[in-house]
């Protein structure tokens, strides 16, 4: 009886060892694939330094949309071309100050 139990235990242990070896090979293959994919895919720079990085994507979108809306209003409501150009230049010069005043996080 004990020889039979020992034989069954040895079979179970051999089966577990085979399963562990298969799993190790799968994990190693998956890790090699991950490393290869990481090496081949271009890295995107995340949140570097710069003036636009200080604002979230929604804030940047708001800045752009409001600027475009102001430009559309200037070009649709003002008739004189010289005045239009002067107002556009003024808007572009004053825009950074407006952004700082409206969205600055310093208190």
């Amino acid at each position: 009886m004990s020889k039979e139990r020992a034989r069954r235990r040895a079979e179970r242990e051999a089966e577990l060892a085979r399963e562990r070896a298969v799993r190790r090979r799968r994990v190693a293959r998956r890790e090699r694939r991950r490393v290869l994919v990481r090496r081949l895919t271009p890295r995107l720079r995340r949140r570097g330094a710069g003036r636009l990085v200080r604002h979230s994507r929604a804030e940047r979108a708001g800045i752009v949309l409001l600027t475009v809306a102001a430009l559309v209003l200037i070009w649709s409501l003002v008739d004189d071309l010289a005045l239009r150009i002067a107002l556009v230049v003024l808007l572009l010069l004053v825009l950074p100050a407006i952004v700082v005043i409206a969205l600055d996080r310093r208190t």
Side-chain angles (χ1 to χ4, degrees), residues 10-28:
E11 287 175 1
R12 279 194 314 266
E13 288 174 356
E15 181 64 28
L16 283 174
R18 279 192 296 274
E19 288 175 4
R20 283 188 199 120
V22 168
R23 176 156 172 73
R24 249 185 267 126
R25 282 193 302 268
R26 278 188 198 146
V27 168

Side-chain angles (χ1 to χ4, degrees), residues 83-98:
L83 186 56
R84 283 180 183 172
I85 294 173
L87 287 174
V88 168
V89 170
L90 182 66
L91 174 68
L92 294 177
L93 287 175
V94 175
L95 184 64
I98 294 170

